[in-house]
Amino acid sequence: MTYFSNISNIKYEGSNSTNPYAFKFYNPEEKVGGKTMEDYLRFSVAYWHTFTEDLSDPFGAGTAVRPWDHYDGMDRAKARVDAAFELFEKLDVPYFCFHDVDIAPEGSHLRESNQNIDTIVAMMKDYMKDSKTKLLWNTVNNFTHPRFVHGAGSSNNADVFAYAAAKVKKGLEIGKELGAENYVFWGGREGYETLLNTDMKRELDHLSKFYHMAVAYAKEIGFDAQFLIEPKPKEPTTHQYDFDVASGYAFLQRYGLQNHFKFNIEANHATLAGHTFEHELRYARVNNILGSVDANQGHQLLGWDTDEFPTDLYATTLAMYEIIKNGGLGRGGLNFDAKVRRGSFEPEDLVHAHIAGMDSFAVGLKVAQKLIDDQVLDNVIEERYSSFDEGIGKEIEDGTTDFHKLEEHALNLDGIQNQSGRLEYIKATINQYLLKAYAGA
Ligand code: XLS
Ligand code: NI
Ligand code: NI
């Protein structure tokens, strides 16, 4: 059974192609900055949005037409695996990602859920023997089921803590089985709705114990994936403990976990936290904790996680700028934690969406590399901080001055001269680079 039979393998045809089923900018073999695009971008399909999502919203039923959903239960789960590996091959993507409940239905008991998972994992493993597509990361869903109403690792209920731990234990086992490069923790309900009934200190202590035990178990079974925390400030809880990279990093350091985790940064979570995507990437990069990326985008007018496929070239350029400066993503990748809109309900929309996202990041990669090659922003920044290259500035950086000497310096100043930040010029220059990329130059 095939599910995308009217669509052949998607190839690169160049920016003049009018074929909707072709890449216009993503050319996997093309080298940018010494690496192939495929190696740099490490695209991943998100199983949940692409094969499980029905496109329902709080006001309306699902609209998605998915031929694999004609089945029920485990038959449907198996059909989704067939559909998934067909699409991976057609898109030629190197990676995919999933939660436990995306791939197999939960049973009436944990034991049955685990059996269902084992059946699907065996099927995936079989497909992966002949497929180039590998597992970028897996995770477990410790937020949808009503048992997680008060959280998982931060729940007030110790039985729920144990249940959540058992699910992560299984997640680590199947991650190892399928050779996952990373393992993700997104704290969907690790937060609170109100402080009036919350012991914040106790919840944070518990959460740290949860993570420490996960680290210990991965070590025990020899699963050497990079652990990743995916910050999000809110939704579904009012306040989530992994609010953003900075607060997540403070938590890790406070509890001695900082050497075991990096961050999976999601564009739409960054904006929900009141940051730009590139802010979160930059903060992680300069602290050497940039692990992987959930590559989507939010809607400018909506205040929630709309998880749209990335099409904003300005955003992909600035994101790739950080990723290139980071030396790439290492074991991480660009995972499309993105879904088609409710009105885009046909299977072929899934293909258009991935082409759009992959092409947008390919443009971002090329433009960012050019900006770096030409040292456009490096020159601006170097010049802007040049007062710290010599004299009193150098003494500050070298730690060879103190408040006495700084006061003396200040008292002897004959006025202070600042220089323009030149923001408009910088933005116009970036536009120029983007437009040159459109022109294929
Ligand atoms: C939800 C998150 C979730 C994680 C994985 O907002 O983005 O999908 O990526 O649990
Ligand atoms: Ni999200
Ligand atoms: Ni995500």
Side-chain angles (χ1 to χ4, degrees):
M1 174 83 190
T2 55
Y3 294 101
F4 299 92
S5 41
N6 52 338
I7 290 161
S8 44
N9 291 358
I10 310 299
K11 301 262 182 253
Y12 170 71
E13 290 187 6
S15 60
N16 291 325
S17 168
T18 53
N19 175 4
Y21 295 105
F23 296 119
K24 318 299 183 304
F25 299 99
Y26 177 59
N27 180 5
E29 286 127 49
E30 185 179 329
K31 286 210 165 171
V32 181
K35 279 195 229 181
T36 64
M37 282 200 182
E38 182 170 79
D39 285 346
Y40 236 132
L41 298 165
R42 296 167 64 85
F43 288 126
S44 157
V45 173
Y47 207 90
W48 55 103
H49 285 312
T50 305
F51 307 108
T52 314
E53 171 70 49
D54 69 357
L55 302 180
S56 54
D57 70 18
F59 298 95
T63 57
V65 176
R66 303 289 182 248
W68 49 89
D69 279 352
H70 294 153
Y71 302 93
D72 283 320
M74 282 299 284
D75 288 339
R76 175 159 67 180
K78 289 177 190 169
R80 283 175 176 157
V81 180
D82 291 329
F85 280 87
E86 186 188 343
L87 186 65
F88 299 161
E89 191 181 336
K90 292 201 161 151
L91 290 172
D92 195 32
V93 280
Y95 291 103
F96 73 116
C97 296
F98 63 77
H99 303 79
D100 52 355
V101 303
D102 308 332
I103 63 165
E106 281 197 85
S108 51
H109 190 273
L110 181 61
R111 209 164 270 116
E112 191 188 338
S113 302
N114 286 347
Q115 278 162 7
N116 291 347
I117 289 172
D118 287 338
T119 304
I120 299 299
V121 165
M123 193 177 164
M124 286 180 164
K125 210 175 164 187
D126 220 38
Y127 261 111
M128 286 166 82
K129 280 186 202 144
D130 304 315
S131 163
K132 76 180 250 181
T133 309
K134 296 189 292 235
L135 189 58
L136 183 66
W137 52 258
N138 65 308
T139 184
V140 302
N141 176 327
N142 278 348
F143 43 89
T144 298
H145 193 280
R147 77 176 73 87
F148 299 117
V149 60
H150 299 311
S154 64
S155 172
N156 58 303
N157 183 340
D159 287 342
V160 174
F161 185 104
Y163 201 100
K167 287 189 79 201
V168 171
K169 177 174 177 288
K170 184 70 182 169
L172 296 172
E173 289 161 8
I174 65 169
K176 182 177 182 213
E177 179 79 7
L178 294 175
E181 304 246 10
N182 307 271
Y183 185 85
V184 163
F185 293 85
W186 170 59
R189 293 194 190 270
E190 311 294 23
Y192 60 80
E193 189 181 320
T194 170
L195 283 176
L196 296 175
N197 61 13
T198 299
D199 188 333
M200 184 194 273
K201 171 78 167 62
R202 228 166 156 182
E203 291 201 357
L204 288 169
D205 286 351
H206 294 170
L207 196 54
S208 75
K209 291 203 179 344
F210 194 92
Y211 289 143
H212 271 294
M213 286 189 266
V215 169
Y217 188 66
K219 196 170 169 209
E220 184 185 324
I221 63 171
F223 180 37
D224 70 346
Q226 172 65 56
F227 274 18
L228 301 169
I229 301 253
E230 182 179 322
K232 186 177 183 183
K234 55 190 165 195
E235 194 203 21
T237 56
T238 310
H239 178 95
Q240 283 178 204
Y241 291 132
D242 302 323
F243 189 93
D244 59 2
V245 181
S247 57
Y249 192 42
F251 170 87
L252 293 177
Q253 292 180 96
R254 157 74 180 81
Y255 289 101
L257 285 157
Q258 69 276 15
N259 296 330
H260 302 289
F261 287 83
K262 288 189 172 181
F263 285 83
N264 181 45
I265 295 170
E266 179 163 323
N268 204 167
H269 296 184
T271 49
L272 280 179
H275 300 308
T276 58
F277 185 18
E278 60 272 20
H279 165 95
E280 289 292 83
L281 294 168
R282 175 75 62 97
Y283 189 89
R285 168 165 80 81
V286 300
N287 286 290
N288 201 21
I289 46 174
L290 174 52
S292 200
V293 170
D294 268 6
N296 60 15
Q297 70 185 27
H299 194 287
Q300 277 184 329
L301 304 180
L302 303 175
W304 61 89
D305 202 10
T306 60
D307 285 339
E308 299 183 23
F309 272 85
T311 49
D312 178 341
L313 301 179
Y314 212 91
T316 60
T317 298
L318 297 186
M320 284 315 301
Y321 187 86
E322 298 302 326
I323 291 168
I324 296 171
K325 286 279 189 183
N326 193 58
L329 287 168
R331 305 183 74 173
L334 292 173
N335 172 53
F336 293 118
D337 189 354
K339 59 185 177 219
V340 290
R341 298 303 88 192
R342 189 165 178 267
S344 306
F345 47 77
E346 295 175 358
E348 65 195 63
D349 290 306
L350 296 170
V351 179
H352 293 307
H354 282 91
I355 292 173
M358 291 161 87
D359 268 343
S360 298
F361 266 92
V363 171
L365 169 64
K366 289 178 91 163
V367 176
Q369 183 65 53
K370 193 91 181 71
L371 286 166
I372 288 170
D373 289 345
D374 296 352
Q375 298 190 294
V376 174
L377 301 180
D378 284 326
N379 286 342
V380 167
I381 289 173
E382 204 181 298
E383 166 64 21
R384 191 152 179 262
Y385 292 86
S386 58
S387 71
F388 283 89
D389 292 340
E390 57 191 9
I392 194 74
K394 188 159 182 351
E395 285 174 34
I396 293 169
E397 285 203 347
D398 292 347
T400 55
T401 188
D402 58 25
F403 266 19
H404 297 286
K405 289 190 214 159
L406 290 169
E407 183 192 46
E408 193 188 316
H409 181 87
L411 287 170
N412 287 326
L413 285 173
D414 185 16
I416 289 181
Q417 278 207 328
N418 272 311
Q419 281 171 353
S420 166
R422 299 265 186 267
L423 181 58
E424 295 74 11
Y425 166 72
I426 296 167
K427 285 190 167 181
T429 309
I430 294 175
N431 281 350
Q432 195 183 357
Y433 275 71
L434 268 162
L435 289 165
K436 274 194 205 163
Y438 288 134

